[in-house]
């Protein structure tokens, strides 16, 4: 157990819908990262938040957004869902701000999203 | 842009065989290197990491990796695998100034038969 929690574990929804994935970082960690794992794209970085502020963006679609709340949990919002959004979404956390790239990331169990 | 290549997509071994999984990255500057493992149905776990210093890094569960800068490689090794090592292995890299964003390889799926 990494100490990073994600809910829900599984989510099945229809095209065009909107869902929210939730992540709670390890105690003491201020950074949260979101990654998408799909069969065709592999594991890809989506976005990074540090202490409530967005720090870096990766291959995140405009239909996707995220935020980090004062209690440091983070939510990833996916809207106008398409079949291709079906994937495993991982959250990771680390202690620092991400500027020091020796900061190790610890991953949560993931949320498996299926879009029908 | 940085990229990571894992040449073996599927590896099948018998127990007690030796393992070497290849990882090459494309970036000319300083890099930090990681190997993560994903057991069936579980989350990614850090096996080992290299930031600087001794290029031979020892990790958990008897794994080690060697950083060879001239070859842009960070291969993972284990002298004797066990059935419980059946998992998917991911090599990843990040760079200073990259805001700790991890760039992952495609993964290598290892199956160990008793």
């Amino acid at each position: 157990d990494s100490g990073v929690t994600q809910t829900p574990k599984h989510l099945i929804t229809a095209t065009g819908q909107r869902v929210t994935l939730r992540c709670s970082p390890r105690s003491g960690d201020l950074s949260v990262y979101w990654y998408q794992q799909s069969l065709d794209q592999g594991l890809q970085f989506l976005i990074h938040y540090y202490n409530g502020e967005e720090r870096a963006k990766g291959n995140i679609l405009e239909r996707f957004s995220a935020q980090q709340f004062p209690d440091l949990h983070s939510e990833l919002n996916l809207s106008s869902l398409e079949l291709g959004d079906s994937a495993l979404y991982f959250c990771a956390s680390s202690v620092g701000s991400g500027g020091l790239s020796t900061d190790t990331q610890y991953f949560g169990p993931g949320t498996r999203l299926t879009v029908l | 842009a940085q990229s990571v290549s894992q040449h073996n997509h599927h590896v099948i071994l018998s127990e007690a065989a030796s393992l070497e999984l290849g990882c090459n990255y494309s970036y000319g500057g300083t890099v930090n290197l990681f190997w993560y493992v994903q057991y069936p149905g579980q989350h990614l776990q850090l096996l080992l990491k290299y930031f600087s210093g001794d290029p031979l890094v020892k990790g958990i569960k008897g794994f080690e990796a060697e950083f060879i800068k001239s070859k842009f490689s960070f291969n993972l090794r284990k002298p004797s695998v066990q059935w419980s090592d059946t998992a998917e292995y991911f090599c990843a890299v990040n760079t200073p100034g990259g805001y700790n964003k991890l760039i992952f390889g495609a993964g290598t799926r290892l199956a160990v038969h008793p």
Side-chain angles (χ1 to χ4, degrees), chain A residues 72-107:
Chain A
L72 301 176
H73 90 271
S74 177
E75 292 181 357
L76 180 66
N77 300 296
L78 316 176
S79 61
S80 303
L81 285 167
E82 301 175 0
L83 295 177
D85 297 328
S86 294
L88 197 50
Y89 291 85
F90 284 108
C91 158
S93 74
S94 71
V95 170
S97 63
L100 182 66
S101 58
T102 54
D103 205 18
T104 299
Q105 294 179 37
Y106 295 89
F107 283 76

Side-chain angles (χ1 to χ4, degrees), chain A:
Chain A
D1 185 359
S2 65
V4 179
T5 60
Q6 289 187 248
T7 56
K9 271 191 170 181
H10 302 276
L11 201 46
I12 301 174
T13 188
T15 54
Q17 295 298 304
R18 172 189 164 96
V19 297
T20 297
L21 313 183
R22 183 188 168 104
C23 167
S24 292
R26 294 185 322 156
S27 176
D29 285 358
L30 299 177
S31 274
V32 169
Y33 310 79
W34 286 97
Y35 292 84
Q36 179 195 58
Q37 185 180 31
S38 61
L39 284 174
D40 53 344
Q41 299 288 329
L43 258 166
Q44 289 204 73
F45 167 75
L46 294 178
I47 198 162
H48 167 210
Y49 275 82
Y50 170 73
N51 206 21
E53 293 188 6
E54 182 185 304
R55 291 292 298 226
K57 261 186 175 178
N59 299 323
I60 187 165
L61 300 170
E62 284 192 15
R63 299 183 285 106
F64 295 1
S65 65
Q67 54 184 326
Q68 187 179 27
F69 294 86
D71 67 352
L72 301 176
H73 90 271
S74 177
E75 292 181 357
L76 180 66
N77 300 296
L78 316 176
S79 61
S80 303
L81 285 167
E82 301 175 0
L83 295 177
D85 297 328
S86 294
L88 197 50
Y89 291 85
F90 284 108
C91 158
S93 74
S94 71
V95 170
S97 63
L100 182 66
S101 58
T102 54
D103 205 18
T104 299
Q105 294 179 37
Y106 295 89
F107 283 76
T111 293
R112 184 170 295 282
L113 173 66
T114 303
V115 183
L116 301 174

Side-chain angles (χ1 to χ4, degrees), chain B residues 53-108:
Chain B
D54 188 345
L56 186 60
V57 180
K58 294 200 183 297
I60 61 171
K61 307 189 183 199
F63 287 91
E64 65 178 31
E66 184 175 13
F67 170 54
I68 303 180
K69 190 174 180 179
S70 61
K71 294 185 177 180
F72 299 89
S73 71
F74 189 57
N75 292 353
L76 182 71
R77 299 195 292 246
K78 186 171 184 179
S80 176
V81 294
Q82 301 172 323
W83 176 79
S84 57
D85 293 324
T86 295
E88 190 158 16
Y89 294 79
F90 294 91
C91 181
V93 62
N94 70 10
T95 59
Y99 287 99
N100 214 13
K101 155 179 94 173
L102 286 173
I103 298 164
F104 285 91
T108 297

